[in-house]
Amino acid sequence: MEAAVADLNFAPPVATTDGRVAGERGRQTRQRLLDATVELLSTTSWRSVKVTDIAREARTSPATFYQYFANVEEAIRVLAEGMVDEAAQLAELVGGDWSERSSWSTALTVTEGFLSYWEDNRAVFRVVDLATEEGDRELRGIRVRALNAVTVALAQVIVAACPAPGDASGQTTASPAGSDPMAVAGAIVAMFASVSAHRYGFEYWGIRTSPLIDTQARMLHWAVTGREALPQVFLSTEAPRTASLDTASTRRSAT
């Protein structure tokens, strides 16, 4: 599994544990350590991941790790905060063109974008969910912030696409999925998260990714616009389709 790597040319200043500001080489080293952490989290129980394991995976030393992180838990929190930043990109996809001409393409873009977002952060989401179940309030708050950004953006889109007659406040919607836009958006985002988390279980049951994307996109499209999408025919040889957030953004711009 490859971790998403930020463009170091535009990366914000990174402080070491002793307060110094890391240069470009230091930022690259820190990113290697984060990438190594993700790689280990995708194959190992997070409670079993040690600093020495991360340093070895990153081809550096434990002493170097401690220049950037106090412990493994701090590295995980940095990765989790990164999910919040990526969720902002996903929220931008949600705010795409929902006109009758472009709404189906937008629904597909958002659905594919969410699946890509989850895949990019699958290992970290798994740890965050486990830690949340164990009562870690900080990681639970990070998870809520990440998904809330998408939920709020979607609720705003639902109100704009299906405004409730006579309600100028924007607190209700005429969406066929429900009158409370946050409830509708929350249910859709929860569906996305659950399906994305169980994607490989579905594949084990013989349910391919492409029909899963299509089904979710139809539910999203219906909830936002109140319109049905065109019929879709899947070929048995069709490959699963997922798109990165960058790819999804490109397709949205082209519509």
Side-chain angles (χ1 to χ4, degrees), residues 41 44-50 73 76 127 130-131 134 136:
L41 291 176
T44 309
S45 169
W46 74 286
R47 294 292 190 189
S48 301
V49 175
K50 307 298 182 187
E73 288 75 14
I76 291 173
V127 173
L130 289 172
E134 295 175 2
D136 190 314

Side-chain angles (χ1 to χ4, degrees), residues 83-84 87 125 128 132 137-152:
M83 297 192 316
V84 179
F125 263 121
V128 168
T132 297
R137 293 184 178 182
E138 184 176 357
L139 287 180
R140 179 179 63 184
I142 291 173
R143 189 185 195 281
V144 168
R145 282 193 288 122
L147 297 185
N148 189 62
V150 183
T151 303
V152 170

Side-chain angles (χ1 to χ4, degrees), residues 2-71:
E2 296 182 359
V5 179
D7 184 346
L8 296 175
N9 293 324
F10 298 93
V14 171
T16 60
T17 52
D18 61 4
R20 293 180 294 110
V21 176
E24 181 176 344
R25 184 175 179 181
R27 291 197 301 269
Q28 291 174 343
T29 299
R30 181 176 182 268
Q31 185 63 54
R32 286 207 321 272
L33 289 164
L34 290 173
D35 292 345
T37 303
V38 171
E39 186 65 30
L40 290 168
L41 291 176
S42 66
T43 58
T44 309
S45 169
W46 74 286
R47 294 292 190 189
S48 301
V49 175
K50 307 298 182 187
V51 170
T52 52
D53 300 327
I54 297 173
R56 186 183 305 110
E57 182 73 23
R59 297 183 179 181
T60 186
S61 67
T64 300
F65 177 93
Y66 286 118
Q67 289 181 17
Y68 301 97
F69 311 104
N71 47 44

